[in-house]
Amino acid sequence: MARFDDYPLAMVVAAAPAEAARLVQVTLGPVLDLPAGERSRLLRTLEHWFASGGSANATSQSLFVHPNTVRYRIRRVEELTGRSLSDPRTTADVGAALLAVRHQDKGPADCPPDVG
């Protein structure tokens, strides 16, 4: 079982729910506004991409899709948000926002620590 002490960013997200909700809207709002299917695909791809250290090849293997599909989905997130995931600040913001989305959807006990 993972503890928040093991994942400081998750602790910050859980400790400041109003700010985390704002971060989600500011960072991922356009993605969250998509129809459920596309939103789910993009968020799942982002989560796997973070878990694989930003590797399209490793992400493609875990999602059972072609690496170009992963690259396309990452570009789609960048287009929707107007943020480049090659920018470390953006990457940190998106990682924190993903943690917050997971925390909002499942609650802290159900949040696996694979993002961030």
Side-chain angles (χ1 to χ4, degrees), residues 35-86:
E38 186 176 3
R39 176 181 60 236
S40 177
R41 269 189 304 278
L42 292 180
L43 291 176
R44 187 163 183 251
T45 300
L46 277 174
E47 288 192 359
H48 282 257
W49 185 78
F50 271 92
S52 69
S55 166
N57 288 331
T59 302
S60 72
Q61 291 173 357
S62 68
L63 290 174
F64 303 102
V65 298
H66 194 278
N68 286 341
T69 299
V70 173
R71 290 181 191 99
Y72 167 78
R73 291 177 184 174
I74 295 299
R75 278 194 312 273
R76 179 84 171 115
V77 169
E78 290 176 326
E79 290 168 2
L80 287 165
T81 63
R83 298 167 176 257
S84 170
L85 287 167
S86 63

Side-chain angles (χ1 to χ4, degrees), residues 11-31:
M11 182 176 57
V12 170
V13 166
E19 289 78 7
R22 178 73 180 137
L23 175 65
V24 168
Q25 278 309 106
V26 167
T27 306
L28 293 175
V31 174

